[in-house]
Amino acid sequence: MSEVRVRFAPSPTGDPHVGNIRTALFNYLYARHTGGKFIVRIEDTDQVRLKEGSDQAIFDSLRWLGMNWDEGPDCGGPHAPYRQSERLELYKKHALELVEKGMAYYCFCSAERLDQMRQIQEAAKKAPMYDRKCLNLTKEEIKAKIDAGEPYVIRLKVPREGTTEFEDIIRGKVSFENSVVDDQVLLKSDGFPTYHLACVVDDHYMGITNVIRAEEWISSTPKHIMLYEAFGWTPPRFAHCPMVLAPDRSKLSKRHGATGVKQFRDLGYLPEALVNFLAFLGWAPQDEREIFSLDELCEAFELERVNKAGAIFDMNKLDWYNGYYIRHIATEDLANRTLPFLEKAGIVPNDHDYLVKCVALVQERMKNLAEAPELLDFFFKQPEYEPSLLIPKKSDVETSKKALAKCKEVLAGLDAWEHDAMEEALRKAAEELGIKSGQILWPLRAALTGKPASPGAFEVTLVLGKKEALARLDIALERLSR
RNA sequence: GCCCUCAUCGUCUAGUGGCCUAGGACAUUGCCCUUUCACGGCAAAGGCACGGGUUCAAAUCCCGUUGAGGGUACCA
């Protein structure tokens, strides 16, 4: 058995969609699991949909998620070029070869005529299909039209009889009546190939052994198989992955919110979380583990275990994964990753050790990196808050004043600036005042953080330092006295 | 319309004829921990789309129905 070779073949139309990236992931995992090669190929055969900078967005996204490739437009390889717009001659040559063999033909029909034809067919409740008007043009007629500069396309001559079937790795046997397959355009009038021609030619010459792609391609697979047969090539093995769906079960699209990989990065998702989540959309291991690193996925992934049914992209689960990874990476690492988000919010931590200490306190509360500023801002500036925040439920102004004054006294007199001593001293203080610990700890915490929810009072006090803590207590006391 | 594909808790899924009284995770609810919010722990609720077969035995096999998704372009 020869080496597995798979490819991710996106068209450069912008920030890659998470659904496409999930397909890329499955390709990548299959390649790494089998010790095969993972190839990136840019399918830029549609000049209309091209978007500037897409190649880079694709490379960035793959790299960000940790998927590296063995051959591609940027790094080359034995079957370069890996950008279809640079292989036009090859496609044209093969289209012509099929015309020569009588398996494809020139078509001079205008877009308008095709449109009209389809409308009539639809009105008659028939499947829209090319009517083969140009199938029987004579050599002379064809030559005359070409010489006259008439635009043309080349169409595959699909047999009207028989069936075409294939064994899908995920779905098993899939079969189509040839009579429902249209005479697909192979070469467009602008000289570019259609996807169908280009991917078959490239997959053949690039030695692709397994075509792993989304379910939406099932219906075009018979056309591809016919092409392999027409050229006399052995088709690769096919595996059609389930679709990634929106919560309403429709195709996940922009109207459902974030769909691009870069969007998720900007929203504060960790690549580890996105990878783990995406891998579990349509695949599950044999055991009940939920947490897998990319390497562990490579180890465990089996194409045969991929599900058939479409999977809804569940943000809740993604959030859980993200929170999980945030809690489990090193604090130092997390601090570095929050930096861009903090800076964007105008928080510029100049003391790295201090930042790490602060991050440690919010690590188990953070669901995504974008929350870092609102979780951490009070560590870097005096917080704004309503005085009422200083008064916990079942307490009152006077008690809070008393408590805060006592805090000042206790903290100022504390020699050992560490957790246990502070806790002991403050709890004792509450006892002396005859109030519950919550009646002293809530005001303290609120005075320091300005938030109803935050890390614990002792931890925050410790990190903020004696001087800052006392200053904030003064401000709190002042606010309560207004 | 036609063609293809699919169908287990709300969601992602385990399950390949008896280990299923259908397991796990997310979400939800309750309790515990607790100065708050989280985290963590414990518990609860919640599912084999429907109808026929086959079989001693079916979530698992077959047929049909329904529903959902995809395709039906000189887009990929």
Side-chain angles (χ1 to χ4, degrees):
Chain A
M1 184 66 197
S2 59
E3 180 185 64
V4 163
R5 291 174 59 82
V6 297
R7 82 313 196 262
F8 174 48
S11 52
T13 53
D15 184 12
H17 187 277
V18 284
N20 283 125
I21 284 294
R22 204 275 314 257
T23 302
L25 217 210
F26 282 3
N27 272 281
Y28 175 81
L29 295 179
Y30 184 65
R32 294 296 172 251
H33 183 79
T34 56
K37 292 278 192 285
F38 178 56
I39 294 146
V40 173
R41 182 173 75 218
I42 301 291
E43 309 228 323
D44 53 349
T45 55
D46 184 357
Q47 294 299 291
V48 181
R49 301 203 316 160
L50 282 189
K51 251 201 206 123
E52 194 78 25
S54 298
D55 289 15
Q56 204 50 49
I58 291 161
F59 300 151
D60 288 350
S61 295
L62 291 173
R63 246 180 239 123
W64 180 65
L65 291 168
M67 289 184 255
N68 54 314
W69 51 100
D70 305 295
E71 297 168 30
D74 59 328
C75 57
H79 305 285
Y82 292 88
R83 197 175 273 114
Q84 291 185 328
S85 58
E86 296 167 18
R87 300 166 69 85
L88 298 183
E89 281 313 307
L90 185 67
Y91 309 125
K92 183 156 191 181
K93 189 185 123 200
H94 283 80
L96 262 16
E97 182 191 321
L98 290 188
V99 173
E100 203 62 35
K101 287 181 174 172
M103 294 166 135
Y105 58 95
Y106 286 94
C107 170
F108 298 89
C109 293
S110 68
E112 295 74 50
R113 190 186 102 78
L114 261 19
D115 243 30
Q116 217 170 39
M117 180 193 74
R118 251 175 240 127
Q119 273 176 29
I120 293 168
Q121 287 167 333
E122 270 173 52
K125 302 220 168 198
K126 288 171 95 180
M129 269 220 214
Y130 181 58
D131 60 6
R132 296 195 152 172
K133 176 168 184 281
C134 297
L135 177 62
N136 295 314
L137 257 28
T138 64
K139 279 207 163 73
E140 294 69 35
E141 285 171 315
I142 293 168
K143 188 172 184 311
K145 283 173 184 287
I146 293 177
D147 287 347
E150 271 191 51
Y152 65 89
V153 301
I154 291 177
R155 285 181 185 274
L156 180 65
K157 185 178 165 189
V158 173
R160 285 287 161 91
E161 313 273 299
T163 60
T164 297
E165 48 185 50
F166 61 98
E167 192 70 23
D168 190 284
I169 296 173
I170 295 170
R171 287 151 209 283
K173 190 164 155 187
V174 180
S175 107
F176 290 81
E177 296 282 332
N178 291 160
S179 59
V180 304
V181 181
D182 200 4
D183 282 0
Q184 181 63 49
V185 170
L186 301 177
L187 198 72
K188 304 189 253 188
S189 56
D190 64 359
F192 277 73
T194 57
Y195 168 83
H196 308 285
L197 207 220
C199 89
V200 166
V201 169
D202 285 346
D203 285 343
H204 172 71
Y205 284 106
M206 293 181 181
I208 300 303
T209 57
N210 295 262
V211 169
I212 303 169
R213 65 196 354 175
E215 190 186 345
E216 51 191 330
W217 294 107
I218 290 184
S219 336
S220 6
T221 305
K223 293 169 189 171
H224 301 168
I225 289 174
M226 288 171 192
L227 281 170
Y228 282 103
E229 284 170 356
F231 287 123
W233 299 335
T234 311
R237 299 250 280 142
F238 292 97
H240 289 94
C241 303
M243 306 273 295
V244 173
L245 309 173
D248 64 0
R249 293 221 153 261
S250 66
K251 212 169 171 176
L252 184 65
S253 70
K254 288 185 187 70
R255 73 192 160 89
H256 299 106
T259 54
V261 173
K262 288 187 164 188
Q263 280 179 285
F264 283 96
R265 187 194 59 193
D266 294 344
L267 251 20
Y269 289 93
L270 266 40
E272 295 94 323
L274 196 53
V275 161
N276 199 153
F277 171 72
L278 253 17
F280 272 65
L281 238 43
W283 174 84
Q286 277 169 327
D287 56 31
E288 290 183 335
R289 278 175 66 201
E290 302 277 337
I291 302 300
F292 281 79
S293 68
L294 224 209
D295 284 345
E296 289 167 333
L297 287 170
C298 291
E299 176 77 31
F301 183 79
E302 283 171 84
L303 201 47
E304 293 75 14
R305 288 183 64 82
V306 170
N307 248 306
K308 297 180 217 195
I312 291 176
F313 191 94
D314 180 9
M315 278 296 223
N316 267 328
K317 187 99 180 229
L318 209 213
D319 283 339
W320 173 76
Y321 269 118
N322 209 50
Y324 180 90
Y325 279 99
I326 284 178
R327 269 173 262 131
H328 291 264
I329 59 176
T331 305
E332 174 85 30
D333 184 8
L334 179 58
N336 288 131
R337 298 203 210 195
T338 60
L339 230 37
F341 292 87
L342 293 175
E343 280 164 8
K344 206 175 150 200
I347 299 171
V348 186
N350 36 31
D351 182 341
H352 185 71
D353 291 341
Y354 178 65
L355 205 219
V356 174
K357 281 183 197 159
C358 298
V359 167
L361 298 192
V362 300
Q363 186 157 12
E364 64 190 25
R365 295 157 226 263
M366 203 186 295
K367 274 232 153 51
N368 63 61
L369 300 176
E371 290 173 347
E374 56 174 291
L375 250 23
L376 292 164
D377 57 1
F378 69 88
F379 281 116
F380 301 91
K381 59 174 193 245
Q382 162 67 36
E384 286 309 316
Y385 56 88
E386 291 298 315
S388 62
L389 182 71
L390 297 163
I391 306 157
K393 272 180 282 187
K394 295 183 190 164
S395 193
D396 53 65
V397 189
E398 289 314 312
T399 310
S400 281
K401 276 188 178 172
K402 227 165 49 178
L404 290 170
K406 187 74 174 175
C407 278
K408 269 184 66 181
E409 185 191 319
V410 169
L411 294 178
L414 203 64
D415 333 299
W417 199 251
E418 51 92 10
H419 188 282
D420 290 356
M422 185 182 292
E423 174 162 7
E424 198 187 333
L426 285 168
R427 288 195 190 281
K428 211 178 105 201
E431 225 172 284
E432 281 169 23
L433 291 176
I435 58 177
K436 289 191 185 145
S437 55
Q439 290 176 300
I440 189 169
L441 295 176
W442 174 285
L444 202 214
R445 196 183 56 74
L448 300 186
T449 66
K451 293 179 197 300
S454 78
F458 310 121
E459 291 78 7
V460 172
T461 309
L462 244 20
V463 169
L464 237 26
K466 189 183 274 191
K467 193 177 150 209
E468 182 64 22
L470 292 176
R472 291 189 187 187
L473 285 172
D474 278 333
I475 291 169
L477 241 15
E478 194 262 331
R479 285 189 185 173
L480 276 183
S481 307
R482 260 184 218 162

